[in-house]
Structures are given as C-alpha cells and as structure tokens.
Amino acid sequence: IAGITQAPTSQILAAGRRMTLRCTQDMRHNAMYWYRQDLGLGLRLIHYSNTAGTTGKGEVPDGYSVSRANTDDFPLTLASAVPSQTSVYFCASSRTWGRSERDEQFFGPGTRLTVL
Amino acid sequence: AQSVTQLDSHVSVSEGTPVLLRCNYSSSYSPSLFWYVQHPNKGLQLLLKYTSAATLVKGINGFEAEFKKSETSFHLTKPSAHMSDAAEYFCVASRGSSNTGKLIFGQGTTLQVKP
C-alpha cells in the first residue's frame, strides 16, 4: 500500500514556465488537498476537493489550479510560475468531507519546488 | 477568526528528559485538535487527535496531549525524549462546522534532542 505519492520529488523551474505537480492516492479517499509549506508559516491550504468532479479554493489559491477527474488523482498546476511560489508542496487526503471534522488527513512526502 | 498558536518555535531537551510543546487555539466553538510530526524531508504523520471525547489523548510513540478548554490549550508532552523524536511538530485545528475537512496549522515547533 503506497498511500499518497507525489511527483516530482523536487524541481527547479524557470519563472514563467508551466508546471504540474502530480498527486495520487490509493486509499479511495473522497477528499484531497494541496498545501504549501513555508518557513514560519506552517502549512497553508491552496485548493481542495471534497469528491471527484468538484474543487474549491483554500487560503492561498492565486496562481494555482487543480482538477479532480477521478478519485485517485489530484494534480496541481502552476500556469506561469513566479519566484514567490518557491515552496514545499504537500498533497493530502481524508476519508470523508462534510460528515466528520475528526477525520485524519494523510500526507504525501512533498514536492520541493524552486522557481528562479 | 479561528487560529492556532504554537508558543515556541524551537525547543531543545536532553535525551531522557520530558518534552513539552505548547499550543493554544482560539475558536468560537470546540474544534477538533491534532498534533502532527514531520521528520526531515518527510510528509506529516498524525501523532494524536482530540475529538471531544476524553480530554487526555494518548498518541503514538509515547506522546500525549491534554485538552484544556478553560485555558484554550492543547499542549503535547512525552515523559522521556528519544533521539528519534527530533522533528518538526505541528498543532492543528479543524475548522469544523460547515467547513469540515479544512485544517488550520500552527507555525510549527522544532524539537531538538541532545544526547
């Protein structure tokens, strides 16, 4: 059982380029999330999806887009990367949405992105 | 507005001594609270969670936390630190209500364990 996988592990990207971070889970979780982690700020929610076919904006959605075509995959796209998007990105999933606030979120290993 | 504050950005203890990582939250209702641990270059792993049942919550690796509503605190403790406990720790609250599934993270506390 892999849990959540993310790709790539790390990436250096030129400003203005388009980039898609991949996230796949094999736990059949309904809800998925993208966070960015920056020093001193903890993790901040970028976008989320409560079920396949639906997505929503988190705290810091600008410059990012997501899609949820199926249960397992939740890619995050930077249409035109900027240096302020240099960060570590974590994908997470949880079993339910809207039924229990108590569900644990499971996190992937992260993608370290540097935008020059 | 709901918020989570970790009172120490860095805590250093000697191996075998107690660990205390402090967390306060502010909320207009009783949220669900979590502690996550992040080892270097790894994802986050759940240590324990409080969900309005017992106020003293036991987690993995000997950690526990006590929910104190009067103090709006959810401090993490461990009686005896191990070298393997060195990591970043995050106190987290759920938004609850109609926004279930969204988490609010504290800024993190780095735990250093000295031999």
Side-chain angles (χ1 to χ4, degrees):
Chain A
I1 297 177
I4 297 181
T5 57
Q6 292 185 236
T9 302
S10 64
Q11 182 75 44
I12 298 174
L13 188 66
R17 297 296 295 270
R18 180 184 180 90
M19 176 74 191
T20 295
L21 308 185
R22 300 185 298 279
C23 174
T24 300
Q25 53 103 359
D26 63 3
M27 297 175 283
R28 307 304 293 172
H29 283 174
N30 290 321
M32 297 187 74
Y33 315 83
W34 273 105
Y35 295 89
R36 59 177 291 171
Q37 182 180 26
D38 302 290
L39 191 65
L41 297 176
L43 274 74
R44 293 179 293 169
L45 183 65
I46 304 171
H47 284 288
Y48 64 90
S49 168
N50 56 3
T51 189
T54 67
T55 62
K57 295 182 178 180
E59 300 173 65
V60 288
D62 295 342
Y64 306 94
S65 63
V66 292
S67 61
R68 187 88 183 277
N70 56 62
T71 297
D72 298 344
D73 301 300
F74 191 44
L76 176 73
T77 297
L78 289 67
S80 180
V82 296
S84 62
Q85 292 178 310
T86 294
S87 187
V88 181
Y89 291 86
F90 288 98
C91 180
S93 70
S94 64
R95 185 169 55 84
T96 62
W97 169 276
R99 295 181 183 177
S100 169
E101 65 208 32
R102 303 170 177 83
D103 276 358
E104 171 187 357
Q105 289 191 14
F106 295 81
F107 287 80
T111 293
R112 185 174 298 275
L113 181 67
T114 302
V115 182
L116 302 176
Chain B
Q2 195 174 4
S3 66
V4 175
T5 302
Q6 292 181 241
L7 301 173
D8 307 291
S9 59
H10 187 97
V11 170
S12 180
V13 301
S14 297
E15 189 175 21
T17 64
V19 175
L20 170 63
L21 305 183
R22 299 182 295 166
C23 173
N24 285 359
Y25 71 93
S26 67
S27 177
S28 57
Y29 54 89
S30 292
S32 293
L33 296 165
F34 310 81
W35 275 98
Y36 281 84
V37 61
Q38 182 183 27
H39 288 92
N41 300 313
K42 301 290 186 182
L44 280 72
Q45 179 186 17
L46 182 70
L47 276 179
L48 50 81
K49 59 184 177 182
Y50 165 76
T51 58
S52 74
T55 56
L56 181 62
V57 182
K58 295 186 182 299
I60 62 172
N61 300 334
F63 284 94
E64 63 182 38
E66 185 172 7
F67 173 73
K68 292 186 177 181
K69 186 174 182 178
S70 60
E71 300 177 8
T72 62
S73 69
F74 190 56
H75 301 334
L76 181 71
T77 61
K78 183 174 180 178
S80 176
H82 295 163
M83 295 298 293
S84 61
D85 294 328
E88 186 85 7
Y89 291 80
F90 292 96
C91 182
V92 183
S94 68
R95 290 190 186 271
S97 184
S98 61
N99 285 319
T100 56
K102 294 184 181 179
L103 300 179
I104 302 169
F105 285 77
Q107 301 89 332
T109 298
T110 301
L111 177 63
Q112 179 187 23
V113 182
K114 298 177 289 186

